[in-house]
Amino acid sequence: MDKKAAKFWYNKGVDFTESFEYEKALQAYNKGLEFDASDPDIWNNKCYVLTKLGKYEDAIKAGNVAVGLEPNDPTIWDTLCDAYMAVNNQEKVTECKKHVDSKQQEPVEISSKKDPKLPAPKKIPSPKKRSLLKWIGICCGGVILIVVLLAILS
C-alpha cells in the first residue's frame, strides 16, 4: 500500500474528471486503487465517472465499496444515489437519500489515521454544488458577454 502514490493518481483522476475526460479519469482512479484499494474517495469518484460513462452496474459496485469503507460520508451516499437513479432503482434511491439526509446533520469527524505529509485530496463538488457552479458560470459568462458587447458598441 502506497498512500502517496494513490493520492497522486486520485488527484490526476480529479483533474481529468473536472475537464470531462471520464475515460482518462477512470484509468487514473483504477491506478490509484492499485496503490490503495481501501481509499473510499477513489472508489467514490470511480463510481461518479462510471455513472457519467453509462456503466451503471460497475458504478453501483464501486459506490457500494465506497459506502462500505466510509458509511458516514453523505457525499459518497449521494454519488451512489446518482448511479441508482440512472438505472431507475427508486427503492435504492430512497434508501441512499435517507443516508444523505441523516448524515448531513451529523458533525464531520476528522480522522486521526490520515498522514499529514500526504497531499490533500481534491473533492469533486456534490451534484447540487455542481449545478449551482454551472449556473453561476453561465450567468457570469452572459454578463461578461453583455459588457464586451456594450464596450464594442460604445
Side-chain angles (χ1 to χ4, degrees):
M1 183 181 316
D2 183 350
K3 289 185 180 285
K4 193 170 186 175
K7 287 301 176 195
F8 170 82
W9 286 105
Y10 171 85
N11 287 333
K12 292 282 283 183
V14 170
D15 291 340
F16 286 129
T17 301
E18 289 174 342
S19 62
F20 308 103
E21 297 178 77
Y22 299 125
E23 286 291 344
K24 289 181 180 179
L26 180 59
Q27 291 172 4
Y29 295 136
N30 284 335
K31 191 73 172 169
L33 290 170
E34 289 176 23
F35 290 102
D36 184 4
S38 66
D39 187 316
D41 293 326
I42 299 174
W43 283 105
N44 180 57
N45 287 6
K46 181 176 178 174
C47 174
Y48 175 82
V49 297
L50 285 166
T51 301
K52 288 294 191 181
L53 290 168
K55 299 176 182 180
Y56 305 122
E57 294 306 317
D58 290 336
I60 289 167
K61 288 176 188 173
N64 278 310
V65 172
V67 162
L69 292 168
E70 190 63 59
N72 293 320
D73 187 335
T75 303
I76 291 174
W77 281 102
D78 195 43
T79 305
L80 180 59
C81 183
D82 289 344
Y84 280 123
M85 280 196 285
V87 295
N88 204 22
N89 187 334
Q90 197 57 45
E91 182 179 327
K92 290 291 189 179
V93 169
T94 302
E95 179 185 328
C96 288
K97 285 296 182 189
K98 286 180 187 174
H99 287 282
V100 171
D101 295 339
S102 69
K103 302 297 183 218
Q104 287 179 339
Q105 307 305 321
E106 297 175 7
V108 176
E109 294 179 24
I110 298 174
S111 173
S112 60
K113 297 181 207 171
K114 301 278 182 181
D115 184 346
K117 294 179 229 159
L118 294 177
K122 298 178 182 179
K123 291 270 188 183
I124 295 175
S126 70
K128 290 176 189 168
K129 287 181 184 173
R130 285 191 301 267
S131 296
L132 177 62
L133 292 172
K134 193 180 293 183
W135 181 82
I136 290 170
I138 291 168
C139 289
C140 290
V143 169
I144 291 170
L145 179 62
I146 291 170
V147 169
V148 169
L149 287 174
L150 288 173
I152 291 172
L153 296 174
S154 320

